[in-house]
Amino acid sequence: MAIALAASTPSGDGGSGRSMGEVGITYFDWRPALWIALPLGLAVGAAAWWRRLHPVLFVLAALAGWVVLSAYVAVMVAQYTLARQMASQRTRSQRAARIGVLAATVLVIGIPIWRAAGADAATSIAAVICGLPALLGLYVGAQSELIARMRERAERAEREQHQRVLQARTAERAQIARDMHDVVTHRVSLMVLHATALEVARDQDATAIGTQIGVIGRETLDELRSLVEVLRADGDNAMPLAPQPTLADLGDLVEASRRLGMPVTLEMVDDCDTALPALVEHAAYRVVQEALTNVHKHAATAPTHVRVHHTHDALHVRVTNGRAPSAGRAELPAGGHGLLGVAERVRLVGGELTARPTAEGGFDITAEVPLARQHAS
């Protein structure tokens, strides 16, 4: 653009801006010498090169080209550039200044035409040279500003969502720390009791008690190792000493939901005699608890089925609810902070949680925790 304007301006855009038929519309009835036309054309080209940074300077250079050389193409480009940037200005003073520049440009363009061909010709030609490029620039500028604001809002919403996810994960990790505190405290207390008994036991009893202490100690080390792996936050928050729920407490949880009017069924299948780690059991309990909470909130009368399947290789937990019969359309769980926290808890014990709507209009939450690593530890 800058090179094209630097080339066309010295010739007055090929002489097309000098007359309307046989009527001359120039400011000066003369053809400028080459030493005037070339530097002025280069100046217009340089201003066009920096038009986005200095649009008013570009307008002034284009007007100089019009007055001296009758070159109007640069004026049209300058009007478009100034109007486009004016659409994105957010202060009244900047807009007022640029509106004044646009009005002055119309006046400068119209004076020689009005003087040579009358007001009608001056109005129509000034509208073509100044008005149409300015309107186009305002439209394009407004569209660009709208897109920029939409992009900014989308990026801000993404950042806020990321912060919410981090907060949910942090809260869940803090809860895991409290759970681990309870588990380790209980097992260390058992070790202390057995050690006390060992002090007064005879040889035969001492061997059995020592073996029991070793088993408890190894289990405690396994839990502590899990704690070190999953926790990354420091803090001295007080931790309650209440016992944490496990899979054995699912019956009470389901019964509480039934008392609230939810038609919920529980199916527990145990194909493995190996005990589950405390963290895994509590994670599974939290999955069921959060799923039932969501059903209460969004589809309280929907039939719900809870299935827990313990195999040698994995623990499978699935909670499925149907469409609420009391409403024409079930309001499905939205997957907010509760599900984010539960998903983080399942992930930290090596598993994966998925939550998705079903084809029947209900919702399905599934968690799977591999147990090979837990058994190996």
Side-chain angles (χ1 to χ4, degrees), residues 33 70 81 103-104 114 178 232 235 237 255 296 303-304 349 377:
S70 298
T81 302
W114 175 78
R178 297 184 180 95
R232 296 294 183 269
N237 295 329
E255 184 61 31
H296 278 296
T304 305
V349 294
S377 63

Side-chain angles (χ1 to χ4, degrees), residues 201-236:
R202 299 186 180 276
D203 293 340
Q204 185 175 4
D205 295 334
T207 302
I209 294 175
T211 302
Q212 187 66 23
I213 292 177
V215 172
I216 297 174
R218 283 190 292 272
E219 292 178 351
T220 304
L221 288 176
D222 290 340
E223 298 295 346
L224 286 175
R225 187 180 298 113
S226 300
L227 176 64
V228 172
E229 290 177 355
V230 302
L231 295 181
R232 296 294 183 269
D234 295 329
D236 298 325

Side-chain angles (χ1 to χ4, degrees), residues 71-94:
Y72 63 91
V73 175
V75 177
M76 298 178 70
V77 177
Q79 292 289 92
Y80 168 83
T81 302
L82 183 63
R84 179 176 178 176
Q85 293 203 4
M86 186 178 68
S88 62
Q89 297 299 322
R90 302 186 181 182
T91 62
R92 293 183 178 180
S93 60
Q94 290 176 325

Side-chain angles (χ1 to χ4, degrees), residues 253-255 257-258 261-267 287-307 318-325 333 362-365:
L253 181 65
V254 170
E255 184 61 31
S257 296
R258 289 172 181 163
M262 179 190 297
V264 56
T265 58
L266 174 63
E267 177 186 4
V287 170
V288 177
Q289 182 183 47
E290 181 62 28
L292 294 181
T293 300
N294 282 337
V295 176
H296 278 296
K297 290 180 179 178
H298 305 287
T301 58
T304 305
H305 182 67
V306 179
R307 188 175 192 272
R318 184 175 185 181
V319 182
T320 306
N321 68 275
R323 182 191 297 270
F363 208 76
D364 179 80
I365 296 178

Side-chain angles (χ1 to χ4, degrees), residues 182-201:
D182 299 340
V183 172
V184 174
T185 300
H186 172 70
R187 290 182 174 172
V188 171
S189 298
L190 290 178
M191 292 177 65
V192 172
L193 290 175
H194 283 78
T196 303
L198 184 63
E199 293 177 355
V200 297

Side-chain angles (χ1 to χ4, degrees), residues 41-374:
L42 293 175
V44 172
W49 184 270
W50 300 101
R51 64 187 182 278
R52 292 184 176 87
L53 295 177
H54 306 287
V56 175
L57 180 62
F58 182 31
V59 172
L60 296 178
L63 287 179
W66 166 255
V67 172
V68 178
L69 305 172
S70 298
Y72 63 91
V73 175
V75 177
M76 298 178 70
V77 177
Q79 292 289 92
Y80 168 83
T81 302
L82 183 63
R84 179 176 178 176
Q85 293 203 4
M86 186 178 68
S88 62
Q89 297 299 322
R90 302 186 181 182
T91 62
R92 293 183 178 180
S93 60
Q94 290 176 325
R95 289 182 178 178
R98 297 193 173 188
I99 289 174
V101 173
L102 293 176
T105 303
V106 173
L107 182 63
V108 173
I109 294 295
I111 286 177
I113 304 175
W114 175 78
R115 188 175 57 192
D120 293 340
T123 301
S124 59
I125 294 178
V128 172
I129 297 177
C130 300
L132 293 181
L135 291 177
L136 180 61
L138 289 173
Y139 173 77
V140 174
Q143 289 293 104
S144 300
E145 179 69 10
L146 178 61
I147 293 174
R149 291 184 180 180
M150 292 176 62
R151 183 181 294 110
E152 180 183 355
R153 291 178 181 177
E155 292 175 353
R156 183 170 62 250
E158 184 177 355
R159 290 194 300 268
E160 292 174 353
Q161 175 65 16
H162 181 65
Q163 290 297 323
R164 287 193 293 269
V165 171
L166 291 180
Q167 291 173 1
R169 289 179 175 177
T170 301
E172 196 65 23
R173 288 176 180 231
Q175 182 61 41
I176 292 173
R178 297 184 180 95
D179 299 345
M180 282 300 306
H181 175 273
D182 299 340
V183 172
V184 174
T185 300
H186 172 70
R187 290 182 174 172
V188 171
S189 298
L190 290 178
M191 292 177 65
V192 172
L193 290 175
H194 283 78
T196 303
L198 184 63
E199 293 177 355
V200 297
R202 299 186 180 276
D203 293 340
Q204 185 175 4
D205 295 334
T207 302
I209 294 175
T211 302
Q212 187 66 23
I213 292 177
V215 172
I216 297 174
R218 283 190 292 272
E219 292 178 351
T220 304
L221 288 176
D222 290 340
E223 298 295 346
L224 286 175
R225 187 180 298 113
S226 300
L227 176 64
V228 172
E229 290 177 355
V230 302
L231 295 181
R232 296 294 183 269
D234 295 329
D236 298 325
N237 295 329
M239 299 181 183
L241 294 179
Q244 297 301 313
T246 62
L247 292 180
D249 300 303
L250 285 181
D252 295 337
L253 181 65
V254 170
E255 184 61 31
S257 296
R258 289 172 181 163
R259 288 196 296 269
L260 294 176
M262 179 190 297
V264 56
T265 58
L266 174 63
E267 177 186 4
M268 299 188 67
V269 181
D270 194 348
D271 295 335
C272 180
D273 296 332
T274 305
L276 288 169
L279 279 179
V280 174
E281 285 209 31
H282 188 54
Y285 180 91
R286 288 279 290 114
V287 170
V288 177
Q289 182 183 47
E290 181 62 28
L292 294 181
T293 300
N294 282 337
V295 176
H296 278 296
K297 290 180 179 178
H298 305 287
T301 58
T304 305
H305 182 67
V306 179
R307 188 175 192 272
V308 180
H309 187 194
H310 177 201
T311 67
H312 180 75
D313 297 326
L315 176 68
H316 305 271
V317 179
R318 184 175 185 181
V319 182
T320 306
N321 68 275
R323 182 191 297 270
S326 61
R329 179 178 182 272
E331 183 182 358
L332 300 179
H337 291 182
L339 283 181
L340 287 175
V342 171
E344 176 70 4
R345 178 182 286 268
V346 173
R347 186 186 69 82
L348 290 176
V349 294
E352 182 179 359
L353 182 138
T354 58
R356 56 185 178 275
T358 63
E360 295 77 16
F363 208 76
D364 179 80
I365 296 178
T366 304
E368 181 176 350
V369 182
L371 299 178
R373 182 174 65 87
Q374 278 84 356

